[in-house]
Amino acid sequence: LFERFLNPERVSMPDIDIDFDDEGRDKVIDYVRGKYGANMVAQIITYGTMGGKSAIRDAGRVFELPLPETDFLAKLMPDNVDLSKLIKWTDSELSANLNGDDLINAQKLRTIAKGQERDSKVLRMATILEGSVRNTGIHACGVIITPDEITNYVPVATAKDSEMWCTQFDNSVVESAGLLKMDFLGLKTLTLIKDCLKIIKQRHNIDIDIEKIPIDDELTYQLFQRGHTVGVFQYESDGMQKYMKDLKPTVFDDLIAMNALYRPGPLEYIPSFVRRKNGQEPITYDLPEMETYLKDTYGITVYQEQVMLLSQELASFTKGEADVLRKAMGKKQKDVLDKMKGKFVDGAKAKGHPEDKLEKIWTDWEAFASYAFNKSHSTCYAWVAYQTAYLKAHYPAEYMAAVLSNNMSDIKSVSFFMQECKKQQIRVLGPDVNESKSLFSVNEQGEIRFGLAAVKGVGESAVDSIIEEQKRGRFKSLFDFLGRVDSKATNKKTLENLALAGALDAFGVERSSYFAPDGKSETYIETLVRYATAVRDSKNTQQVSLFGDASDMAIAEPQPPKVEAWDTITQLNKEKEVVGMYISGHPLDDFAVELKSFCTKGGLSLLENLAASANRELRVAGSVTEFNERFSKTGNKPFGQFRLEDYDHSQSFMLFGEDYLKFKHLLYVGAKLYVVGKVQNRPYGTPDNPQLEFRILRIEPLFDLREKLGRYLEVDVNYKDVTEQFVQRLIDAVSGSPGKTQLRVNLKTEEGSLKMPSGVFNKINVTSEVMQRLNELHEIQFAFSEN
């Protein structure tokens, strides 16, 4: 509704927020400066003020309080509380505003501040320093455009590392000075969409106008309905995926509403929204007139605009008054809401509406005020989300390649999205000098290729040279590659890292061979570097060969030494050295089902916040990446430190005394371990300040779990997928050697789960081959079970 922005009752100008492609934001700012003039455009200054902790540290330095004591005081300071308030609060005020450790620490601070020691003086001085301006910065996205010279309106200053002026007034003052603030925001998702469209164009020669895609595309809504929204803007969290599966959206309005509802507060309305959408709960309206504006959200008030329109319809509010009501709700201005209630009730009664219904409506609106969301914002974001879902549904490989490229700097995210590709049965291959571009790309077979820029030590100019030569045709051999690319792409370090990452695998030379001596006290890589230099020198000087015939000029191609190939773990570890992650597999791939079946959901990540798992038994697993045996200060008591790594996280552990001696034989780099422990208080903690630890109770080799704990192999299958052919494929997958594991099939129906009788299948031995065959049955989910 336009009156949200401009209406007769509005005093201040609205902010104008615009999301731009991340990479194009600077171009927009340059355009604005060129359009209006550099002296009429400025950024907005920000003032950084001193918080309680930094004030304590600064005061401690001045009073020469020893650093450990200063640090102790600063760590007692709770977050989001003013020190000056905290010291003045009474016991009841402290208890009302703080709890747990924060309350205990605040009481200690207050007691210290009342003393006469040096640390007491530090705290009292810190209360004076607190809130002082410590530094200035630049607003992340705010830009001011003035109709005339900016100095006619506000004072300006120069900004560090920027040619643009910045205002000396911060954001709040700029608005009251009557200036229009525009937020030029960079949105990574818009860059992602642009990159995906480029890949689609390169691979399929199709130009897609993303603003003109059909809004009723069936494949896109199926993706939302299945909850396959990893990588989809705004809809990728676990909770949102669950609600998408429950809701089964069929129209764009469903997406707009869920985007607005999935936030603290309105979340509680989602189950009712879902039931009403699916006909499981009646859609009701307090007054018949409300249907016009609440029909799209199944009778539930979701947007600010609905309140604005209803206040006009029911109580004859003007458009301006309706916007004042919206703003009062958004800003939680209770005094304004109280004044407007009488006007609403009187106006609606005058139109013949019953007072009891009006009281209920107003009470609902007051509750709604705490989370009111505007539909225009939700619609914009839902549209961008729909665009990303459309691309993922129709061009999954191209879309995931763009997602991976846009998260290239975050190894954890790359690893996470590679797992998503695996779920979608999209292969992600390592870098290859014949197929890879700078970033992630899609080859002719629809597989995603790692970008060459992901390989450490391979510079931009080397990557550019390789990609430029790709345009002239594939590299037919290793020597063709060495002879054609720039010298920067054939220096020793670049070739070593390309080989370690697997980018030279296509030439049929084992990775281990590149690093083996070739009989001349140098590695094969060093020989190849000399070969490449000789070829370039020959080309540059047109040197005649020993036979005197320039046309037959040839340089002997050095053949690789014959050595054993690296084992899988060695190869994976070397990939990780140069790319930051495993590419061609993962050391835990053979145990993925064990991790899913026997480990606590969340794995090693749970140990990053022990407080959230206090007094819980946790079961984690991973591969040992570090192990060190150390000795106590007396030198006679050994203890062990090892680091465990799963697919997404790593964690360090310590073992002492008998625990270490009991499990020492299992600890070595490369070991795959299952660790059971409990989060408990450390022995030397105090009731006032308990310190938590993860106490290891049990360690076992991962390869033992299948036999020890895997009493059942649970197979979940949708009843719609069960056909004669499917049953035969399942039988073929599990047939083979008999064993101790009972196969149990659970048929998933719309009403719930139906367990098939266990006796249908014989007990089986779940070998790696059986696991591989089950993985190829994409209709099923399977896991081990203890009971």
Side-chain angles (χ1 to χ4, degrees):
L1 301 182
F2 187 74
E3 57 268 25
R4 281 186 60 245
F5 300 100
L6 292 176
N7 68 70
E9 282 88 352
R10 182 154 192 154
V11 178
S12 59
M13 290 287 279
D15 282 2
I16 297 179
D17 294 0
I18 316 174
D19 289 317
F20 293 101
D21 157 19
D22 228 1
E23 295 171 358
R25 180 178 175 271
D26 290 341
K27 293 178 185 175
V28 177
I29 293 176
D30 289 342
Y31 166 81
V32 169
R33 294 183 75 211
K35 172 86 174 171
Y36 300 103
N39 56 347
M40 295 161 71
V41 178
Q43 292 173 295
I44 302 169
I45 203 166
T46 58
Y47 291 104
T49 54
M50 199 178 293
K53 289 184 181 183
S54 56
I56 291 171
R57 294 185 193 281
D58 280 7
R61 276 195 293 273
V62 173
F63 280 95
E64 297 182 348
L65 189 69
L67 190 58
E69 292 181 40
T70 304
D71 198 45
F72 171 75
L73 290 177
K75 285 181 177 177
L76 287 178
M77 184 68 206
D79 294 327
N80 305 317
V81 177
D82 291 342
L83 178 63
S84 53
K85 280 185 184 176
L86 186 151
I87 288 173
K88 291 176 185 175
W89 274 343
T90 63
D91 287 342
S92 58
E93 286 174 322
L94 273 178
S95 301
N97 288 281
L98 300 168
N99 53 48
D101 289 347
D102 283 348
L103 177 59
I104 294 165
N105 292 338
Q107 288 167 337
K108 289 179 185 175
L109 274 177
R110 195 178 57 168
T111 303
I112 295 169
K114 289 176 181 176
Q116 295 302 316
E117 305 299 322
R118 191 162 36 161
D119 53 1
S120 306
K121 292 176 182 175
V122 165
L123 288 180
R124 289 196 291 273
M125 179 54 70
T127 62
I128 299 170
L129 294 175
E130 188 180 43
S132 304
V133 173
R134 182 167 194 155
N135 52 45
T136 62
I138 297 295
H139 192 284
C141 50
V143 174
I144 293 293
I145 306 172
T146 53
D148 201 348
E149 291 273 345
I150 194 165
T151 49
N152 293 338
Y153 301 90
V154 290
V156 295
T158 54
K160 189 181 177 184
D161 302 327
S162 174
E163 297 176 10
M164 292 177 70
W165 282 347
C166 68
T167 64
Q168 286 187 39
F169 292 163
D170 70 4
N171 198 20
S172 57
V173 184
V174 159
E175 186 177 325
S176 59
L179 299 185
L180 175 65
K181 178 171 79 76
M182 304 185 78
D183 282 345
F184 291 174
L185 301 151
L187 185 62
K188 187 169 75 171
T189 303
L190 297 177
T191 309
L192 190 159
I193 290 171
K194 181 187 73 174
D195 291 347
C196 180
L197 296 178
K198 278 184 189 172
I199 298 171
I200 292 168
K201 172 68 175 173
Q202 288 165 0
R203 183 159 180 245
H204 302 285
N205 198 27
I206 297 172
D207 290 300
I208 295 175
D209 185 342
I210 200 65
E211 295 302 326
K212 293 182 178 175
I213 58 175
I215 204 165
D216 56 355
D217 180 69
E218 192 175 333
L219 211 57
T220 304
Y221 284 106
Q222 285 174 7
L223 182 139
F224 280 114
Q225 290 160 8
R226 293 194 304 270
H228 291 177
T229 50
V230 170
V232 172
F233 180 59
Q234 297 278 304
Y235 292 80
E236 57 186 332
S237 68
D238 289 344
M240 185 62 102
Q241 289 178 47
K242 175 190 176 297
Y243 286 129
M244 284 288 109
K245 286 190 269 192
D246 292 344
L247 180 68
K248 299 195 171 16
T250 51
V251 291
F252 189 58
D253 278 310
D254 290 344
L255 302 180
I256 302 172
M258 284 300 289
N259 193 41
L261 286 168
Y262 192 73
R263 292 173 302 112
L267 258 175
E268 63 183 270
Y269 289 93
I270 292 180
S272 179
F273 184 87
V274 169
R275 289 193 298 271
R276 291 184 179 203
K277 156 77 178 176
N278 294 321
Q280 297 158 342
E281 180 181 304
I283 299 170
T284 58
Y285 305 95
D286 291 321
L287 295 170
E289 291 81 359
M290 299 176 80
E291 181 174 356
T292 305
Y293 301 116
L294 299 184
K295 188 175 181 180
D296 289 341
T297 52
Y298 312 110
I300 295 172
T301 306
V302 176
Y303 314 115
Q304 292 175 345
E305 286 90 338
Q306 288 173 321
V307 171
M308 292 170 69
L309 290 164
L310 286 168
S311 66
Q312 294 170 62
E313 171 68 30
L314 300 178
S316 301
F317 274 35
T318 65
K319 291 186 177 187
E321 287 169 338
D323 188 62
V324 172
L325 175 61
R326 171 200 64 82
K327 189 170 184 182
M329 285 185 164
K331 304 281 186 185
K332 302 179 182 62
Q333 298 168 340
K334 191 167 187 321
D335 55 334
V336 178
L337 286 173
D338 289 343
K339 286 177 188 173
M340 299 199 83
K341 179 181 178 181
K343 183 172 180 57
F344 172 78
V345 173
D346 291 343
K349 278 168 64 180
K351 295 187 78 171
H353 299 304
E355 188 169 352
D356 60 332
K357 293 283 187 184
L358 299 174
E359 287 287 346
K360 180 188 180 300
I361 292 166
W362 189 264
T363 302
D364 290 345
W365 284 1
E366 282 184 319
F368 169 79
S370 63
Y371 60 79
F373 202 70
N374 65 74
K375 187 179 183 182
S376 54
H377 183 96
S378 190
T379 302
C380 291
Y381 271 25
W383 176 233
V384 174
Y386 182 87
Q387 291 173 336
T388 60
Y390 177 89
L391 292 172
K392 185 178 181 183
H394 289 269
Y395 302 96
E398 290 81 357
Y399 182 72
M400 292 309 297
V403 169
L404 287 162
S405 294
N406 276 271
N407 288 276
M408 211 159 165
S409 59
D410 183 354
I411 293 297
K412 277 189 180 178
S413 292
V414 170
S415 178
F416 173 77
F417 287 119
M418 282 178 67
Q419 289 298 315
E420 173 65 11
C421 291
K422 201 172 182 180
K423 287 177 190 172
Q424 293 185 63
Q425 293 139 44
I426 301 169
R427 290 187 70 197
V428 180
L429 306 174
D432 180 280
V433 292
N434 263 322
E435 286 191 347
S436 292
K437 306 305 175 191
S438 177
L439 303 178
F440 286 85
S441 56
V442 181
N443 65 16
E444 290 177 4
Q445 290 74 41
E447 302 158 327
I448 296 176
R449 273 281 179 199
F450 250 81
L452 293 172
V455 184
K456 293 173 187 173
V458 179
E460 191 177 337
S461 57
V463 172
D464 290 344
S465 171
I466 293 169
I467 293 171
E468 193 57 37
E469 277 300 322
Q470 286 175 357
K471 296 174 186 174
R472 298 183 176 90
R474 293 178 68 83
F475 300 112
K476 296 170 187 171
S477 67
L478 176 60
F479 307 105
D480 183 34
F481 171 76
L482 294 169
R484 284 167 56 187
V485 297
D486 188 275
S487 60
K488 292 186 179 67
T490 55
N491 66 46
K492 182 184 173 187
K493 188 65 180 172
T494 299
L495 282 178
E496 281 180 346
N497 288 6
L498 286 172
L500 289 172
L504 305 179
D505 284 0
F507 301 132
V509 177
E510 290 289 349
R511 295 185 200 181
S512 55
S513 297
Y514 288 103
F515 301 89
D518 68 350
K520 299 178 184 175
S521 71
E522 63 181 5
T523 63
Y524 185 48
I525 286 259
E526 290 168 333
T527 305
L528 292 174
V529 171
R530 286 197 299 107
Y531 169 85
T533 303
V535 169
R536 267 191 304 277
D537 290 345
S538 174
K539 282 181 180 176
N540 291 339
T541 60
Q542 290 295 299
Q543 184 179 358
V544 177
S545 73
L546 294 173
F547 301 101
D549 186 350
S551 61
D552 291 329
M553 177 176 62
I555 297 171
E557 296 174 349
Q559 296 306 302
K562 293 184 178 177
V563 293
E564 275 191 35
W566 286 327
D567 60 69
T568 304
I569 296 297
T570 302
Q571 179 169 303
L572 288 172
N573 285 335
K574 290 185 181 296
E575 285 177 0
K576 192 172 184 182
E577 281 177 32
V578 293
V579 183
M581 63 181 296
Y582 305 113
I583 302 174
S584 54
H586 193 282
L588 295 174
D589 279 348
D590 288 340
F591 305 99
V593 181
E594 280 85 343
L595 266 67
K596 174 185 172 185
S597 305
F598 303 125
C599 293
T600 310
K601 188 176 181 182
L604 291 172
S605 67
L606 297 171
L607 301 180
E608 293 174 3
N609 179 14
L610 292 180
S613 298
N615 301 314
R616 279 182 71 195
E617 183 178 280
L618 300 179
R619 299 179 294 173
V620 298
S623 178
V624 176
T625 56
E626 296 172 24
F627 169 64
N628 294 294
E629 181 174 76
R630 296 194 170 95
F631 290 87
S632 60
K633 289 180 182 177
T634 57
N636 61 351
K637 290 184 179 178
F639 65 93
Q641 179 271 327
F642 66 99
R643 179 167 286 277
L644 205 61
E645 183 178 285
D646 62 17
Y647 280 100
D648 304 306
H649 295 83
S650 68
Q651 188 70 36
S652 188
F653 298 89
M654 305 285 282
L655 282 170
F656 300 94
E658 290 183 12
D659 287 343
Y660 176 55
L661 296 175
K662 190 185 346 178
F663 301 123
K664 177 182 175 181
H665 66 287
L666 297 171
L667 303 177
Y668 55 90
V669 173
K672 313 296 183 298
L673 301 180
Y674 175 66
V675 178
V676 179
K678 186 174 182 181
V679 178
Q680 60 185 34
N681 291 340
R682 291 182 189 272
Y684 46 79
T686 65
D688 290 343
N689 186 23
Q691 295 184 29
L692 294 171
E693 66 173 357
F694 177 69
R695 171 74 195 281
I696 292 177
L697 305 173
R698 195 165 102 232
I699 299 179
E700 294 185 44
L702 257 180
F703 56 76
D704 281 353
L705 292 191
R706 202 175 296 177
E707 191 169 334
K708 278 189 175 181
L709 303 180
R711 190 176 167 200
Y712 294 99
L713 183 66
E714 302 270 356
V715 174
D716 292 342
V717 57
N718 191 308
Y719 78 100
K720 292 179 181 176
D721 293 325
V722 177
T723 61
E724 205 172 312
Q725 292 86 347
F726 167 78
V727 173
Q728 188 57 52
R729 285 164 60 213
L730 179 59
I731 291 170
D732 292 344
V734 299
S735 60
S737 57
K740 298 178 181 177
T741 305
Q742 178 70 62
L743 189 70
R744 195 153 63 183
V745 178
N746 303 318
L747 280 181
K748 297 293 181 182
T749 69
E750 289 168 0
E751 288 76 33
S753 182
L754 180 67
K755 289 187 183 296
M756 298 290 289
S758 294
V760 172
F761 296 96
N762 294 325
K763 287 187 177 181
I764 58 172
N765 180 19
V766 189
T767 61
S768 296
E769 291 74 23
V770 169
M771 300 279 273
Q772 178 61 37
R773 291 197 291 267
L774 287 171
N775 272 316
E776 290 167 3
L777 286 171
H778 301 308
E779 299 94 336
I780 70 169
Q781 296 282 322
F782 65 98
F784 289 107
S785 172
E786 297 177 62
N787 45 51

